[in-house]
Amino acid sequence: MQYMVLLFGEEYPEPGPEDPGFEEYMAPWAAFSEAHEAVIVAGNALAPSSTATTIRRVAEGQDTIVDGPFAETKEVLGGYYIIDVPDLDAALAVARDIPLPAGSIEVRPLPEGLAV
């Protein structure tokens, strides 16, 4: 069964590929990916929340498009993985290994047969 693992945390400056310290910053993430490569289907970091655009929808109303994330919070969605594991316990075991320094990790099953 596939699960989406959503990574939430406070945004902080991260070194870019050309910046000093980038290799050290990425080392735990690379180790996580290598350790779980057999079950990771997809994953990526997201651009900062300041680049987000949200479609706000109300029932029987007109869509409104606003800049930024919809929810007001200090934590924002920072990345995701899609993993393919036998059950929730296995998904949680993978999620516990994610080297997110602070924040929260949400694990949610993907319903089968609904992918577009």
Side-chain angles (χ1 to χ4, degrees):
M1 177 166 209
Q2 290 191 343
Y3 290 85
M4 178 168 261
V5 181
L6 304 168
L7 312 179
F8 294 91
E10 291 186 32
E11 292 181 307
Y12 54 89
E14 301 171 4
E18 305 299 324
D19 296 333
F22 179 74
E23 300 287 330
E24 294 80 11
Y25 174 76
M26 290 302 298
W29 294 97
F32 169 79
S33 294
E34 186 175 325
H36 298 288
E37 68 181 342
V39 300
I40 294 174
V41 176
N44 207 337
L46 299 177
S49 63
S50 61
T51 65
T53 302
T54 300
I55 299 173
R56 186 175 183 182
R57 180 164 291 162
V58 295
E60 299 180 26
Q62 199 167 23
D63 290 348
T64 303
I65 298 176
V66 297
D67 291 337
F70 178 71
E72 289 189 25
T73 177
K74 287 187 174 185
E75 291 186 352
V76 297
L77 178 61
Y80 70 93
Y81 289 98
I82 296 175
I83 59 174
D84 193 353
V85 293
D87 55 35
L88 178 60
D89 288 339
L92 293 174
V94 171
R96 283 190 192 99
D97 286 347
I98 294 173
L100 184 69
S104 59
I105 299 169
E106 180 178 327
V107 177
R108 195 181 302 187
L110 294 175
E112 294 181 26
L114 295 179
V116 291

